[in-house]
């Protein structure tokens, strides 16, 4: 098996560039990573509170290289949600920004410190390398269990279909704790390319100043990113070095896909639409840039080394085009399974390379796939996969009678308590989930529609 982070071939290449312009070679990155690992007991479980910074990435590299199973989390995560995960999983160490922590630091680099948290000897499966949240915005304790082989094989697939070379300079336009942002880190560091580290958003002038100064060659974004870039008149910007744009994290409107594909072609650039799930480490499919104009609603074809199929409700493979069924993916990047408690970290491979995506899809006569719906109650808001049931549970402490429905544009929250201020609900949801309040809309109803058994009838809410 190839290692995800083996820097011996390109030790002198530039690995990271900060917004200040300071550069770090791969050998320098390796030195920082080695320094962190020297202060940890073998096979320890660690939480890495991430930001798009050198110490954050060095920590991640260190933990993967040295066999420390690591959970990637947002460094700005709500403290209540973080505390819940700490109590459930009892990590041995936390690598986090120094200013946001209490206690004695075991080791520090720049503005990050390593803290001891628990002495527990948590049994962990020897293949477990990485843990990612299934619903990062709601603080669910359910985690995806990934091996180094899962994420390495996926990084190599991405390198192949995007044609990433050591000369690439990718700007970190997404947070690294998010599986899409992590895949950008993995694929570029795996092949000796350069990451331009920014925590700024595409709506900030400093971000574009950095992109231009450092001659970024690629940018990644979720649907919201590309909607915002349209407002900024992206294709009027003077960005001669930016050649590749990649989009995933939810469905982008087909008209917008077509517009980007057309403009990219005129400007000598490439626009890739991709589809994935955290459970696949995370890329599942991609739409070749030269097909996007003809098939703007498609998620494309399976990534190299993977296979996509459609199955009906009886578990029978569908061989005819344009017939809906569940999308099934097979590949070496499929995770081992889930964890909902620290005891689950000892579990082996429960998926055996097969992922039931939970998405309803079809394929056309040319073999290109299309998502047409979802089997379960998940939505993707600006790239964040949100479980509507989890958000309801999150809201119940202040509003016991509530219900959520939604799509990839907005989560609609129905409440029956007229004395509750909508602004208070929005503020509460924003604080608890980390999503902007614009991701939600609040509506009062006299009574939530329920079945005779007391279950909320979501189809009735959808018709309101």
């Amino acid at each position: 098996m190839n290692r995800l982070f083996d820097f011996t071939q390109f030790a002198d290449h530039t690995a990271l560039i900060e917004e200040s312009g300071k550069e770090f070679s791969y050998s320098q990155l390796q030195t920082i990573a080695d320094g962190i690992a020297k202060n940890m007991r073998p096979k320890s479980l660690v939480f890495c509170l991430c930001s798009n910074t050198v110490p954050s990435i060095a920590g991640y590299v260190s933990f993967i290289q040295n066999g420390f199973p690591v959970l990637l989390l947002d460094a700005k995560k709500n403290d209540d949600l973080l505390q819940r995960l700490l109590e459930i999983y009892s990590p041995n160490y936390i690598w986090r920004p120094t200013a946001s922590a209490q206690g004695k630091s075991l080791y520090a680099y720049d503005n990050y410190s390593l803290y001891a948290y628990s002495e527990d000897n948590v049994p962990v499966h020897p293949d477990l390398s990485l843990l990612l949240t299934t619903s990062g915005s709601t603080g669910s304790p359910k985690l995806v269990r990934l091996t180094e082989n899962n994420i390495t094989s996926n990084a190599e697939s991405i390198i192949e279909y995007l044609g990433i070379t050591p000369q690439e300079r990718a700007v970190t336009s997404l947070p690294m704790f998010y599986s899409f942002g992590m895949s950008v880190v993995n694929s570029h560091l795996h092949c000796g390319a350069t990451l331009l580290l920014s925590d700024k958003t595409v709506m900030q002038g400093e971000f574009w100043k950095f992109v231009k100064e450092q001659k970024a060659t690629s940018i990644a974004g979720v649907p919201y990113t590309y909607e915002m870039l349209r407002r900024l008149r992206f294709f009027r910007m003077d960005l001669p070095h930016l050649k590749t744009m990649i989009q995933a994290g939810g469905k982008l409107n087909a008209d917008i896909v077509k517009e980007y594909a057309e403009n990219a072609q005129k400007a000598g650039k490439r626009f890739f639409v991709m589809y994935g799930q955290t459970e696949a480490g995370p890329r599942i499919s991609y739409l070749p840039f030269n097909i996007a104009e003809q098939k703007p609603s498609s998620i494309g074809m399976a990534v190299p080394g993977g296979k996509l199929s459609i199955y009906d409700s009886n578990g029978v493979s569908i061989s005819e085009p344009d017939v809906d069924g569940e999308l099934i993916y097979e590949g070496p990047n499929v995770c081992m399974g889930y964890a909902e408690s620290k005891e689950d970290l000892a579990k082996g491979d429960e998926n055996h390379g097969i992922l039931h995506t939970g998405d309803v899809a079809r394929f056309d006569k040319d073999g290109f796939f299309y998502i047409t719906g979802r089997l379960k109650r998940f939505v993707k808001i600006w790239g964040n996969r949100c479980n509507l049931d989890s958000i309801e549970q999150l809201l119940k402490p202040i509003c016991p009678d509530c219900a959520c429905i939604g799509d990839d544009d907005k989560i609609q929250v129905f409440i029956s308590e007229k004395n509750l201020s909508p602004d208070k609900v929005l503020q509460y949801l924003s604080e608890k989930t980390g999503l902007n309040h614009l991701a939600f809309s609040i509506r009062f109803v006299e009574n939530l529609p329920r079945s005779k058994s007391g279950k909320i009838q979501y189809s009735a809410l959808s018709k309101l």
Side-chain angles (χ1 to χ4, degrees), residues 410-427:
K410 195 173 286 280
I411 296 171
Q412 300 171 51
V413 181
F414 293 84
I415 59 178
S416 60
E417 297 178 31
K418 289 187 175 180
N419 294 329
L420 195 58
S421 160
D423 288 342
K424 181 181 178 182
V425 176
L426 288 172
Q427 182 181 354

Side-chain angles (χ1 to χ4, degrees), residues 53-210:
T53 60
V54 171
S56 179
I57 286 181
Y60 173 50
V61 167
S62 178
F63 307 140
I64 295 294
Q65 284 182 333
N66 292 282
F68 301 120
V70 57
L71 170 60
L72 303 186
L73 294 169
D74 183 0
K76 298 176 183 176
K77 196 172 188 67
N78 179 287
D79 283 343
D80 292 342
L81 303 181
L82 173 61
Q83 193 58 43
R84 185 181 180 204
L85 290 168
L86 289 169
E87 290 170 359
I88 292 170
Y89 289 101
S90 300
N92 303 111
Y93 300 100
I94 308 173
W95 178 245
R96 67 183 300 174
T98 308
S100 64
Q102 296 177 338
K104 184 180 179 183
S105 167
L106 302 175
Y107 176 80
Y109 174 78
D110 197 3
N111 62 338
Y112 262 66
S113 290
L114 183 70
Y115 297 91
Y117 180 78
S118 168
E119 294 290 333
D120 291 0
N121 290 315
V122 180
V124 173
H125 192 277
D127 292 337
L128 181 63
S129 187
L130 176 66
L131 296 161
L132 296 173
T133 58
T134 58
S135 187
S137 61
T138 58
S140 166
K142 190 174 183 180
L143 306 177
V144 173
R145 298 182 291 115
L146 292 152
T147 69
E148 185 176 358
N149 186 54
N150 291 152
I151 49 178
T152 302
S153 64
N154 203 227
E156 291 175 346
S157 293
I158 294 166
I159 290 166
E160 181 178 338
Y161 73 74
L162 288 181
I164 302 173
T165 69
Q167 286 69 48
E168 292 292 331
R169 298 165 71 86
V171 63
T172 57
S173 45
L174 297 166
M176 65 169 284
F177 66 85
Y178 170 42
S179 60
F180 186 8
M182 177 206 70
S183 73
V184 174
V185 172
N186 290 351
S187 55
H188 286 77
L189 293 186
H190 185 68
C191 69
T194 301
L195 289 173
L196 308 177
L197 303 182
S198 175
D199 264 333
K200 303 290 191 301
T201 72
V202 297
M203 297 301 289
Q204 294 177 274
E206 298 97 321
F207 177 86
W208 293 107
K209 183 173 182 286
F210 183 52

Side-chain angles (χ1 to χ4, degrees), residues 390-441:
S390 294
I391 291 177
E392 285 180 5
Q393 293 302 314
L394 206 60
L395 191 54
K396 285 187 181 296
I398 68 165
C399 183
D401 199 30
C402 64
C404 296
I405 61 173
D407 53 28
D408 285 348
D409 294 316
K410 195 173 286 280
I411 296 171
Q412 300 171 51
V413 181
F414 293 84
I415 59 178
S416 60
E417 297 178 31
K418 289 187 175 180
N419 294 329
L420 195 58
S421 160
D423 288 342
K424 181 181 178 182
V425 176
L426 288 172
Q427 182 181 354
Y428 181 87
L429 286 171
S430 182
E431 288 176 354
K432 291 295 183 183
T433 66
L435 292 170
N436 187 289
H437 69 277
L438 295 174
F440 305 92
S441 67

